[in-house]
Amino acid sequence: MFRLLSHLIALAWVSLLAAGAIQSHRAPAWAESLAASKDNAGPAPAPALFERIEQGLYKRNAPVVITEAELNRYLNAHLRAMSTGPLAENISIDRFYVQCQREGFEVRLLWRATNNHPATASMRFQVTRKENQFLIEPVGGSYGRMNVPRGIMAPILPALQSLATSLKSELDLAFQMNQLKFEPGKIVLDPRLETVAR
């Protein structure tokens, strides 16, 4: 009886691992539109986000609203996410996209491995304010269609860290705002002093 039970448990684990492997290689619904956006990106000019944030801080009279489309045009025009981790030689990031969500954002990545096999991952972040600091914390993500906890997303962190390093001047400027609010489809940067009291 014990031997049969141990075989059933082993079979269940193998089935679970196989299902996870299959789900992690299946592209989520957003992957096709992200891949197509590379070909249809067109010559649209990148918005002058840095200057808008700088002006908002200087005037301090109204919030600066940045749409998701503006943010992604800016990122794709100015940046290239490069992995510096142990898999950097085998992975080439094709596209990335930031989706604004309530109280945070999701970074979506599309890359190709050495064998030209397409793969996807996404990582969700929550943005909160603690006293005078904004905290950006990973809360989870996915490989393909398989949702995973934040600890298992460690292999894509080097690419995201290089993205943040490339955006240092923009992030430093944005973090001087009194309030940074993520909503579906947009970011609201509020430099007004009276909004902090809430």
Side-chain angles (χ1 to χ4, degrees):
M1 182 69 179
F2 179 74
R3 178 181 270 178
L4 177 62
L5 185 59
S6 64
H7 285 302
L8 287 175
I9 291 172
L11 184 60
W13 274 109
V14 168
S15 298
L16 184 63
L17 290 173
I22 291 168
Q23 285 293 87
S24 69
H25 288 310
R26 291 181 65 206
W30 54 260
E32 190 173 314
S33 62
L34 182 58
S37 69
K38 180 177 184 179
D39 302 326
N40 301 328
L49 296 186
F50 187 86
E51 292 79 8
R52 281 176 48 201
I53 297 169
E54 202 170 40
Q55 283 296 312
L57 274 171
Y58 176 73
K59 293 179 181 177
R60 291 197 180 271
N61 62 356
V64 177
V65 178
I66 299 170
T67 67
E68 192 175 277
E70 289 174 323
L71 176 65
N72 284 295
R73 268 203 329 271
Y74 184 84
L75 291 175
N76 284 293
H78 289 87
L79 303 175
R80 191 72 193 132
M82 301 296 290
S83 179
T84 54
L87 300 177
E89 295 175 8
N90 301 323
I91 291 176
S92 166
I93 294 177
D94 282 351
R95 290 290 281 165
F96 57 88
Y97 185 86
V98 176
Q99 183 186 45
C100 300
Q101 301 171 340
R102 192 161 307 284
E103 297 180 11
F105 59 96
E106 180 175 276
V107 177
R108 295 174 171 179
L109 300 168
L110 180 65
W111 74 86
R112 294 195 177 274
T114 311
N115 61 359
N116 209 27
H117 175 75
T120 61
S122 66
M123 193 160 190
R124 292 181 304 281
F125 294 87
Q126 181 177 350
V127 181
T128 56
R129 184 182 176 119
K130 189 171 185 180
E131 297 174 10
N132 290 331
Q133 286 189 320
F134 288 103
L135 303 174
I136 301 174
E137 298 178 282
V139 292
S142 67
Y143 289 108
R145 293 189 184 184
M146 184 176 71
N147 290 327
V148 295
R150 67 181 179 180
I152 297 178
M153 300 305 298
I156 68 168
L157 280 178
L160 298 180
Q161 287 169 339
S162 81
L163 200 67
T165 301
S166 301
L167 284 171
K168 185 178 182 339
S169 56
E170 289 87 344
L171 290 171
D172 288 347
L173 200 60
F175 289 156
Q176 291 178 41
M177 293 287 182
N178 289 319
Q179 193 162 43
L180 181 75
K181 188 176 180 184
F182 281 84
E183 296 176 2
K186 65 183 177 181
I187 306 169
V188 180
L189 305 168
D190 200 336
R192 297 173 298 179
L193 296 173
E194 64 271 15
T195 59
V196 174
R198 299 189 328 166

